[in-house]
Amino acid sequence: MPLNLKEDEMFNSKITGLGYYVPENIVTNDDLSKIMDTNDAWIQERTGIKERRHVVKGDGDTTTSMGVKAAKIAIERAGIDKDDIDFIVFATLSPDYYFPGPGVLVQRDLGIKTVGALDVRNQCSGFVYGLSVADQFIKTGMYKNVLVIGSELHSHGLDMTTRGRGVSVIFGDGAGAAVLSRTEDNNTGILSTHLHSEGQHAEELALIAPGMGSRWVNDIIADNDPNDESYFPYMNGQFVFKNAVVRFSEVIIEGLKANNLQAQDINMLVPHQANLRISQFIQKKFGLQDDQVFNNIMKYGNTTAASIPIALTEAWEQGKLKSGDLVVLAAFGSGFTWGSAIIRW
Ligand code: UT7
Protein backbone atom coordinates (compact mmCIF):
# COMPACT_ATOMS: atom_id res chain seq x y z
CA MET A 1 0.00 0.00 0.00
CA PRO A 2 1.41 3.43 -0.89
CA LEU A 3 2.02 5.81 1.99
CA ASN A 4 -0.65 8.43 2.53
CA LEU A 5 1.68 11.35 2.00
CA LYS A 6 0.28 14.49 0.38
CA GLU A 7 1.63 15.32 -3.09
CA ASP A 8 3.73 18.21 -1.81
CA GLU A 9 5.29 16.02 0.89
CA MET A 10 6.58 13.48 -1.64
CA PHE A 11 9.72 13.43 -3.70
CA ASN A 12 10.60 11.26 -6.61
CA SER A 13 13.76 9.32 -7.31
CA LYS A 14 15.74 9.50 -10.51
CA ILE A 15 18.69 7.52 -11.79
CA THR A 16 21.48 10.09 -11.94
CA GLY A 17 24.51 7.86 -12.48
CA LEU A 18 25.17 4.43 -14.00
CA GLY A 19 28.28 2.28 -14.22
CA TYR A 20 29.36 -1.27 -14.91
CA TYR A 21 32.39 -3.46 -14.67
CA VAL A 22 33.06 -6.85 -16.22
CA PRO A 23 36.23 -8.90 -15.83
CA GLU A 24 38.57 -8.83 -18.83
CA ASN A 25 38.66 -12.60 -19.34
CA ILE A 26 36.34 -13.52 -22.25
CA VAL A 27 35.13 -17.13 -22.39
CA THR A 28 33.64 -18.03 -25.77
CA ASN A 29 31.29 -20.90 -26.51
CA ASP A 30 34.18 -22.62 -28.29
CA ASP A 31 36.26 -22.29 -25.10
CA LEU A 32 33.51 -24.11 -23.20
CA SER A 33 33.25 -26.83 -25.82
CA LYS A 34 36.87 -27.73 -25.01
CA ILE A 35 36.01 -28.58 -21.39
CA MET A 36 32.49 -30.03 -21.73
CA ASP A 37 30.23 -31.60 -24.32
CA THR A 38 28.62 -28.49 -25.76
CA ASN A 39 28.94 -26.40 -28.90
CA ASP A 40 28.58 -22.86 -30.16
CA ALA A 41 25.54 -23.68 -32.31
CA TRP A 42 23.52 -25.16 -29.40
CA ILE A 43 24.34 -22.30 -27.04
CA GLN A 44 23.59 -19.56 -29.57
CA GLU A 45 20.41 -21.17 -30.82
CA ARG A 46 18.96 -21.86 -27.34
CA THR A 47 20.19 -18.77 -25.50
CA GLY A 48 21.67 -16.18 -27.88
CA ILE A 49 24.90 -16.18 -25.87
CA LYS A 50 28.20 -15.92 -27.79
CA GLU A 51 30.56 -15.26 -24.91
CA ARG A 52 30.64 -14.34 -21.24
CA ARG A 53 33.20 -13.02 -18.77
CA HIS A 54 34.76 -15.17 -16.06
CA VAL A 55 36.95 -13.89 -13.26
CA VAL A 56 40.29 -15.68 -13.42
CA LYS A 57 40.90 -17.35 -10.06
CA GLY A 58 43.56 -15.48 -8.15
CA ASP A 59 43.05 -12.23 -10.10
CA GLY A 60 41.58 -10.62 -7.00
CA ASP A 61 38.13 -9.78 -8.38
CA THR A 62 35.25 -10.63 -6.08
CA THR A 63 31.55 -9.87 -6.13
CA THR A 64 32.26 -6.90 -3.87
CA SER A 65 35.29 -5.57 -5.75
CA MET A 66 33.42 -5.68 -9.07
CA GLY A 67 30.47 -3.91 -7.43
CA VAL A 68 32.81 -1.26 -6.05
CA LYS A 69 34.33 -0.65 -9.49
CA ALA A 70 30.88 -0.22 -11.04
CA ALA A 71 29.77 1.98 -8.14
CA LYS A 72 32.72 4.37 -8.50
CA ILE A 73 31.76 5.05 -12.10
CA ALA A 74 28.07 5.52 -11.20
CA ILE A 75 28.91 7.94 -8.36
CA GLU A 76 31.21 10.00 -10.57
CA ARG A 77 28.60 10.17 -13.33
CA ALA A 78 25.95 11.22 -10.80
CA GLY A 79 28.17 14.23 -10.08
CA ILE A 80 28.17 13.59 -6.35
CA ASP A 81 30.79 12.72 -3.80
CA LYS A 82 30.84 9.31 -2.08
CA ASP A 83 30.03 11.17 1.15
CA ASP A 84 26.72 12.23 -0.38
CA ILE A 85 25.57 8.57 -0.44
CA ASP A 86 22.94 8.08 2.29
CA PHE A 87 22.32 4.35 1.88
CA ILE A 88 23.70 1.30 0.08
CA VAL A 89 21.67 -1.56 -1.42
CA PHE A 90 23.59 -4.57 -2.73
CA ALA A 91 21.89 -7.35 -4.70
CA THR A 92 23.67 -10.64 -5.31
CA LEU A 93 23.28 -14.41 -5.08
CA SER A 94 27.05 -14.90 -4.93
CA PRO A 95 28.26 -12.94 -1.89
CA ASP A 96 31.95 -12.97 -0.89
CA TYR A 97 31.06 -14.32 2.55
CA TYR A 98 28.15 -16.30 4.00
CA PHE A 99 27.90 -13.27 6.27
CA PRO A 100 28.24 -10.33 6.41
CA GLY A 101 26.83 -9.46 3.02
CA PRO A 102 28.68 -7.28 0.49
CA GLY A 103 26.79 -4.07 1.39
CA VAL A 104 29.02 -3.36 4.38
CA LEU A 105 32.12 -4.28 2.37
CA VAL A 106 31.19 -1.60 -0.16
CA GLN A 107 30.77 0.92 2.68
CA ARG A 108 34.27 0.00 3.85
CA ASP A 109 35.99 -0.25 0.46
CA LEU A 110 34.53 2.99 -0.90
CA GLY A 111 35.30 4.74 2.39
CA ILE A 112 31.71 5.94 2.69
CA LYS A 113 30.64 7.22 6.12
CA THR A 114 28.71 4.79 8.33
CA VAL A 115 25.46 4.84 6.37
CA GLY A 116 23.10 1.87 6.32
CA ALA A 117 23.87 -1.02 4.00
CA LEU A 118 21.26 -3.54 2.94
CA ASP A 119 21.77 -6.85 1.14
CA VAL A 120 19.11 -8.09 -1.24
CA ARG A 121 18.77 -11.82 -1.95
CA ASN A 122 16.45 -11.95 -4.92
CA GLN A 123 18.67 -13.46 -7.61
CA CYS A 124 17.77 -12.30 -11.14
CA SER A 125 15.18 -9.87 -9.76
CA GLY A 126 17.66 -8.50 -7.21
CA PHE A 127 18.38 -5.24 -8.98
CA VAL A 128 14.69 -4.41 -9.52
CA TYR A 129 14.01 -5.24 -5.86
CA GLY A 130 16.97 -3.07 -4.81
CA LEU A 131 15.83 -0.22 -7.01
CA SER A 132 12.37 -0.45 -5.49
CA VAL A 133 13.74 -0.29 -1.92
CA ALA A 134 15.90 2.71 -2.82
CA ASP A 135 12.96 4.41 -4.53
CA GLN A 136 10.77 4.08 -1.43
CA PHE A 137 13.45 5.58 0.83
CA ILE A 138 13.77 8.55 -1.50
CA LYS A 139 10.05 9.03 -2.16
CA THR A 140 9.33 9.24 1.57
CA GLY A 141 12.05 11.85 2.00
CA MET A 142 14.30 9.74 4.22
CA TYR A 143 17.32 9.70 1.89
CA LYS A 144 18.59 11.85 -0.98
CA ASN A 145 21.11 9.59 -2.69
CA VAL A 146 21.03 5.79 -2.63
CA LEU A 147 23.63 3.55 -4.26
CA VAL A 148 22.16 0.35 -5.75
CA ILE A 149 24.55 -2.36 -6.90
CA GLY A 150 24.00 -5.72 -8.59
CA SER A 151 27.06 -7.93 -8.83
CA GLU A 152 27.77 -11.61 -9.39
CA LEU A 153 30.71 -13.94 -9.49
CA HIS A 154 29.13 -17.11 -10.85
CA SER A 155 32.03 -18.78 -12.57
CA HIS A 156 33.76 -20.11 -9.46
CA GLY A 157 30.62 -21.95 -8.36
CA LEU A 158 29.46 -23.58 -11.59
CA ASP A 159 29.77 -27.22 -12.59
CA MET A 160 32.10 -26.82 -15.59
CA THR A 161 31.68 -30.42 -16.73
CA THR A 162 29.18 -31.93 -19.16
CA ARG A 163 26.96 -32.76 -16.18
CA GLY A 164 26.43 -29.03 -15.50
CA ARG A 165 26.25 -27.78 -19.10
CA GLY A 166 22.53 -26.89 -18.96
CA VAL A 167 23.37 -24.21 -16.37
CA SER A 168 27.06 -23.38 -16.63
CA VAL A 169 27.06 -22.16 -20.24
CA ILE A 170 24.45 -19.54 -19.37
CA PHE A 171 25.89 -17.60 -16.44
CA GLY A 172 28.62 -14.96 -16.44
CA ASP A 173 30.38 -12.59 -14.05
CA GLY A 174 30.04 -8.82 -13.77
CA ALA A 175 28.59 -5.87 -11.90
CA GLY A 176 26.41 -2.84 -12.49
CA ALA A 177 25.48 0.09 -10.29
CA ALA A 178 23.10 3.01 -10.21
CA VAL A 179 22.83 6.12 -8.07
CA LEU A 180 19.25 7.10 -7.32
CA SER A 181 18.80 10.71 -6.30
CA ARG A 182 15.94 12.84 -5.06
CA THR A 183 14.14 14.95 -7.62
CA GLU A 184 11.27 17.31 -6.94
CA ASP A 185 9.90 16.82 -10.43
CA ASN A 186 7.38 14.04 -9.88
CA ASN A 187 6.92 13.55 -13.62
CA THR A 188 10.41 12.16 -14.12
CA GLY A 189 12.28 9.30 -12.54
CA ILE A 190 10.90 6.06 -11.16
CA LEU A 191 7.14 6.20 -11.65
CA SER A 192 6.46 2.87 -9.96
CA THR A 193 7.89 -0.55 -9.14
CA HIS A 194 6.08 -3.88 -8.88
CA LEU A 195 7.44 -6.89 -7.01
CA HIS A 196 6.31 -10.50 -6.73
CA SER A 197 7.36 -13.87 -5.38
CA GLU A 198 6.13 -17.46 -5.59
CA GLY A 199 8.13 -19.61 -3.21
CA GLN A 200 6.38 -22.83 -4.16
CA HIS A 201 8.87 -23.00 -7.04
CA ALA A 202 11.93 -22.21 -4.90
CA GLU A 203 13.66 -25.47 -5.76
CA GLU A 204 13.23 -25.16 -9.55
CA LEU A 205 16.22 -22.81 -9.78
CA ALA A 206 18.38 -23.03 -6.72
CA LEU A 207 21.61 -24.02 -5.06
CA ILE A 208 20.75 -26.35 -2.22
CA ALA A 209 23.79 -28.10 -0.78
CA PRO A 210 22.87 -31.50 0.63
CA GLY A 211 20.89 -31.23 3.83
CA MET A 212 21.06 -27.44 3.81
CA GLY A 213 18.56 -25.97 6.22
CA SER A 214 19.26 -28.59 8.85
CA ARG A 215 23.05 -28.29 8.55
CA TRP A 216 25.47 -25.41 8.36
CA VAL A 217 28.81 -24.71 6.65
CA ASN A 218 31.03 -26.92 8.84
CA ASP A 219 28.87 -30.02 8.28
CA ILE A 220 28.59 -29.37 4.57
CA ILE A 221 32.37 -28.98 4.21
CA ALA A 222 33.01 -32.08 6.31
CA ASP A 223 30.76 -34.15 4.03
CA ASN A 224 32.07 -32.62 0.83
CA ASP A 225 31.60 -35.07 -1.99
CA PRO A 226 32.93 -33.76 -5.33
CA ASN A 227 30.65 -36.17 -7.17
CA ASP A 228 27.52 -34.74 -5.57
CA GLU A 229 25.99 -32.38 -8.10
CA SER A 230 23.80 -30.68 -5.52
CA TYR A 231 26.74 -28.44 -4.58
CA PHE A 232 26.07 -26.66 -7.86
CA PRO A 233 23.12 -24.56 -9.01
CA TYR A 234 20.19 -26.57 -10.34
CA MET A 235 17.74 -25.25 -12.92
CA ASN A 236 14.66 -26.88 -14.37
CA GLY A 237 15.26 -24.93 -17.56
CA GLN A 238 12.03 -25.53 -19.46
CA PHE A 239 9.85 -24.95 -16.40
CA VAL A 240 11.70 -21.73 -15.59
CA PHE A 241 11.43 -20.62 -19.22
CA LYS A 242 7.65 -21.15 -19.31
CA ASN A 243 7.13 -19.26 -16.07
CA ALA A 244 9.51 -16.49 -17.15
CA VAL A 245 7.62 -15.55 -20.31
CA VAL A 246 4.31 -15.41 -18.41
CA ARG A 247 5.61 -13.41 -15.43
CA PHE A 248 7.68 -10.99 -17.54
CA SER A 249 4.55 -10.14 -19.51
CA GLU A 250 2.28 -9.87 -16.47
CA VAL A 251 4.57 -7.57 -14.53
CA ILE A 252 5.17 -5.26 -17.48
CA ILE A 253 1.41 -4.97 -18.04
CA GLU A 254 0.91 -4.36 -14.30
CA GLY A 255 3.43 -1.51 -14.37
CA LEU A 256 1.98 0.08 -17.48
CA LYS A 257 -1.58 -0.11 -16.13
CA ALA A 258 -0.56 1.45 -12.80
CA ASN A 259 0.57 4.51 -14.75
CA ASN A 260 -2.25 4.58 -17.32
CA LEU A 261 0.23 3.71 -20.04
CA GLN A 262 0.22 1.24 -22.89
CA ALA A 263 2.77 -0.89 -24.69
CA GLN A 264 2.94 1.74 -27.47
CA ASP A 265 4.24 4.22 -24.91
CA ILE A 266 7.38 2.18 -24.22
CA ASN A 267 10.53 3.71 -25.71
CA MET A 268 12.99 1.20 -24.29
CA LEU A 269 12.52 -2.13 -22.56
CA VAL A 270 15.58 -3.35 -20.66
CA PRO A 271 14.77 -6.91 -19.64
CA HIS A 272 16.86 -9.05 -17.33
CA GLN A 273 19.18 -10.90 -19.69
CA ALA A 274 18.00 -14.47 -19.02
CA ASN A 275 17.76 -15.81 -22.54
CA LEU A 276 17.57 -13.98 -25.89
CA ARG A 277 14.54 -16.13 -26.78
CA ILE A 278 12.68 -14.79 -23.74
CA SER A 279 13.50 -11.18 -24.73
CA GLN A 280 12.36 -11.85 -28.29
CA PHE A 281 9.11 -13.42 -27.08
CA ILE A 282 8.38 -10.34 -24.92
CA GLN A 283 9.34 -8.00 -27.77
CA LYS A 284 6.85 -9.71 -30.08
CA LYS A 285 4.11 -9.82 -27.45
CA PHE A 286 4.33 -6.08 -26.83
CA GLY A 287 4.82 -5.21 -30.52
CA LEU A 288 8.19 -3.53 -29.95
CA GLN A 289 10.79 -2.84 -32.63
CA ASP A 290 14.33 -4.23 -32.45
CA ASP A 291 15.70 -0.88 -31.25
CA GLN A 292 13.14 -0.74 -28.41
CA VAL A 293 14.50 -3.76 -26.54
CA PHE A 294 18.05 -3.69 -25.23
CA ASN A 295 19.91 -7.01 -25.32
CA ASN A 296 23.53 -7.69 -24.48
CA ILE A 297 23.27 -11.32 -23.33
CA MET A 298 25.34 -12.17 -26.43
CA LYS A 299 28.42 -10.63 -24.78
CA TYR A 300 27.93 -11.32 -21.09
CA GLY A 301 25.55 -14.26 -20.67
CA ASN A 302 23.18 -14.11 -17.73
CA THR A 303 24.74 -12.11 -14.89
CA THR A 304 21.61 -12.33 -12.67
CA ALA A 305 21.46 -9.29 -10.36
CA ALA A 306 24.04 -7.47 -12.48
CA SER A 307 22.34 -7.97 -15.83
CA ILE A 308 19.88 -5.06 -15.76
CA PRO A 309 22.31 -2.43 -14.45
CA ILE A 310 24.97 -3.54 -16.97
CA ALA A 311 22.42 -3.40 -19.79
CA LEU A 312 21.00 -0.08 -18.60
CA THR A 313 24.48 1.44 -18.43
CA GLU A 314 25.35 0.25 -21.93
CA ALA A 315 22.03 1.55 -23.28
CA TRP A 316 22.73 4.93 -21.67
CA GLU A 317 26.34 5.00 -22.92
CA GLN A 318 25.10 4.30 -26.45
CA GLY A 319 22.72 7.26 -26.26
CA LYS A 320 19.64 5.02 -26.32
CA LEU A 321 17.96 6.55 -23.26
CA LYS A 322 16.73 10.07 -23.94
CA SER A 323 15.19 12.58 -21.61
CA GLY A 324 11.43 11.99 -21.44
CA ASP A 325 11.65 8.38 -22.72
CA LEU A 326 9.55 5.71 -21.06
CA VAL A 327 12.03 3.06 -19.93
CA VAL A 328 10.74 -0.25 -18.58
CA LEU A 329 12.84 -2.70 -16.56
CA ALA A 330 11.58 -6.24 -15.99
CA ALA A 331 13.10 -9.29 -14.34
CA PHE A 332 12.27 -12.87 -13.45
CA GLY A 333 14.31 -15.52 -11.71
CA SER A 334 15.00 -17.89 -8.87
CA GLY A 335 12.55 -17.77 -6.00
CA PHE A 336 10.58 -17.47 -8.14
CA THR A 337 10.73 -13.71 -7.93
CA TRP A 338 9.87 -11.13 -10.54
CA GLY A 339 9.39 -7.40 -10.82
CA SER A 340 9.26 -4.33 -13.02
CA ALA A 341 10.16 -0.67 -12.82
CA ILE A 342 8.49 2.01 -14.93
CA ILE A 343 10.79 4.97 -15.44
CA ARG A 344 10.35 8.36 -17.12
CA TRP A 345 13.94 9.09 -18.14
O1 UT7 B 1 17.72 -15.87 -15.20
C1 UT7 B 1 16.89 -16.68 -14.44
C2 UT7 B 1 15.86 -17.26 -15.25
N1 UT7 B 1 16.41 -18.27 -16.12
C3 UT7 B 1 15.81 -18.51 -17.25
O2 UT7 B 1 14.89 -17.85 -17.60
C4 UT7 B 1 16.31 -19.70 -18.07
C5 UT7 B 1 15.14 -20.39 -18.69
N2 UT7 B 1 15.48 -21.57 -19.43
C6 UT7 B 1 16.22 -21.56 -20.56
O3 UT7 B 1 16.73 -20.53 -20.96
C7 UT7 B 1 16.36 -22.86 -21.35
O4 UT7 B 1 15.51 -23.82 -20.77
C8 UT7 B 1 17.81 -23.39 -21.39
C9 UT7 B 1 18.66 -22.49 -22.27
C10 UT7 B 1 18.39 -23.49 -20.01
C11 UT7 B 1 17.84 -24.79 -22.01
O5 UT7 B 1 17.25 -24.76 -23.27
P1 UT7 B 1 16.13 -25.83 -23.67
O6 UT7 B 1 15.74 -25.52 -25.03
O7 UT7 B 1 15.07 -25.79 -22.61
O8 UT7 B 1 16.93 -27.19 -23.63
P2 UT7 B 1 16.72 -28.49 -22.71
O9 UT7 B 1 17.13 -28.22 -21.33
O10 UT7 B 1 15.36 -29.03 -22.95
O11 UT7 B 1 17.76 -29.48 -23.34
C12 UT7 B 1 17.61 -29.96 -24.69
C13 UT7 B 1 18.77 -30.90 -25.01
C14 UT7 B 1 18.95 -31.98 -23.96
O12 UT7 B 1 19.37 -33.15 -24.66
P3 UT7 B 1 18.31 -34.31 -25.00
O13 UT7 B 1 17.76 -34.77 -23.69
O14 UT7 B 1 17.29 -33.68 -25.88
O15 UT7 B 1 19.16 -35.33 -25.70
C15 UT7 B 1 20.08 -31.49 -23.12
O16 UT7 B 1 20.82 -32.52 -22.52
O17 UT7 B 1 19.99 -30.15 -25.02
C16 UT7 B 1 20.94 -30.77 -24.14
N3 UT7 B 1 21.78 -29.73 -23.57
C17 UT7 B 1 22.89 -29.26 -24.16
N4 UT7 B 1 23.49 -29.58 -25.30
C18 UT7 B 1 24.61 -28.92 -25.62
C19 UT7 B 1 21.58 -29.04 -22.40
N5 UT7 B 1 22.55 -28.14 -22.24
C20 UT7 B 1 23.38 -28.26 -23.31
C21 UT7 B 1 24.55 -27.59 -23.70
N6 UT7 B 1 25.14 -27.96 -24.87
N7 UT7 B 1 25.11 -26.60 -22.96
Side-chain angles (χ1 to χ4, degrees):
M1 284 289 284
L3 280 179
N4 263 341
L5 292 176
K6 292 195 208 100
E7 278 274 299
D8 59 0
E9 291 171 340
M10 285 199 67
F11 303 101
N12 207 10
S13 80
K14 196 175 162 61
I15 294 177
T16 50
L18 285 164
Y20 79 94
Y21 170 82
V22 288
E24 276 177 24
N25 178 38
I26 297 172
V27 177
T28 64
N29 295 341
D30 286 338
D31 292 332
L32 292 179
S33 70
K34 288 176 194 140
I35 55 172
M36 64 180 81
D37 182 11
T38 189
N39 57 78
D40 180 53
W42 189 97
I43 301 173
Q44 282 210 51
E45 188 191 312
R46 306 281 175 136
T47 71
I49 300 167
K50 295 183 178 176
E51 57 190 42
R52 72 288 292 140
R53 304 298 176 100
H54 283 179
V55 168
V56 174
K57 277 191 184 160
D59 260 12
D61 261 333
T62 65
T63 293
T64 300
S65 75
M66 291 192 288
V68 164
K69 286 173 187 168
K72 280 185 179 162
I73 299 167
I75 293 169
E76 196 192 328
R77 286 175 173 170
I80 60 168
D81 187 80
K82 64 182 170 56
D83 290 326
D84 298 320
I85 299 287
D86 301 310
F87 195 64
I88 299 162
V89 184
F90 200 119
T92 189
L93 63 71
S94 50
D96 299 9
Y97 308 143
Y98 263 74
F99 70 85
V104 297
L105 305 181
V106 168
Q107 180 274 328
R108 177 189 69 192
D109 294 352
L110 279 178
I112 295 177
K113 47 190 201 240
T114 58
V115 299
L118 178 76
D119 297 293
V120 168
R121 295 291 312 272
N122 289 89
Q123 300 68 248
C124 300
S125 312
F127 185 78
V128 173
Y129 266 74
L131 202 70
S132 180
V133 170
D135 179 46
Q136 310 315 309
F137 274 128
I138 292 176
K139 280 198 165 80
T140 55
M142 185 153 168
Y143 295 133
K144 276 190 183 164
N145 297 299
V146 180
L147 174 63
V148 185
I149 300 172
S151 179
E152 302 288 359
L153 201 168
H154 283 296
S155 58
H156 296 178
L158 297 172
D159 180 356
M160 301 301 281
T161 69
T162 299
R163 184 182 64 183
R165 66 183 181 175
V167 173
S168 52
V169 302
I170 295 169
F171 293 97
D173 303 337
V179 172
L180 256 74
S181 303
R182 179 189 288 181
T183 166
E184 286 169 29
D185 176 1
N186 285 353
N187 297 316
T188 65
I190 312 244
L191 303 181
S192 65
T193 55
H194 307 269
L195 308 177
H196 294 276
S197 72
E198 191 176 25
Q200 68 163 314
H201 301 310
E203 287 80 17
E204 303 294 348
L205 173 47
L207 197 170
I208 310 162
M212 218 168 177
S214 57
R215 305 182 318 150
W216 196 229
V217 188
N218 47 344
D219 292 324
I220 293 168
I221 291 170
D223 287 0
N224 182 31
D225 172 2
N227 296 317
D228 188 338
E229 60 187 290
S230 52
Y231 288 99
F232 297 109
Y234 164 78
M235 176 163 71
N236 181 348
Q238 292 196 3
F239 185 75
V240 175
F241 192 104
K242 284 178 196 149
N243 278 266
V245 290
V246 172
R247 298 309 194 183
F248 263 107
S249 305
E250 278 178 8
V251 82
I252 292 169
I253 292 169
E254 181 185 354
L256 292 172
K257 271 195 182 153
N259 294 283
N260 294 320
L261 295 164
Q262 296 179 345
Q264 301 91 284
D265 297 315
I266 298 175
N267 296 103
M268 181 61 81
L269 171 66
V270 182
H272 161 55
Q273 304 291 297
N275 184 320
L276 192 60
R277 282 156 57 211
I278 295 179
S279 292
Q280 287 166 342
F281 178 92
I282 304 298
Q283 174 180 341
K284 207 167 158 201
K285 182 173 168 85
F286 288 94
L288 301 171
Q289 303 301 311
D290 287 351
D291 61 357
Q292 291 179 291
V293 182
F294 193 84
N295 292 305
N296 62 5
I297 190 169
M298 304 74 89
K299 294 192 293 179
Y300 304 125
N302 178 345
T303 58
T304 49
S307 94
I308 288 182
I310 294 174
L312 201 56
T313 306
E314 285 201 332
W316 176 80
E317 286 176 351
Q318 292 167 21
K320 293 185 170 162
L321 309 178
K322 302 200 179 58
S323 181
D325 276 359
L326 187 74
V327 179
V328 174
L329 313 182
F332 174 87
S334 160
F336 291 153
T337 57
W338 61 101
S340 64
I342 312 294
I343 305 171
R344 182 66 70 192
W345 205 258

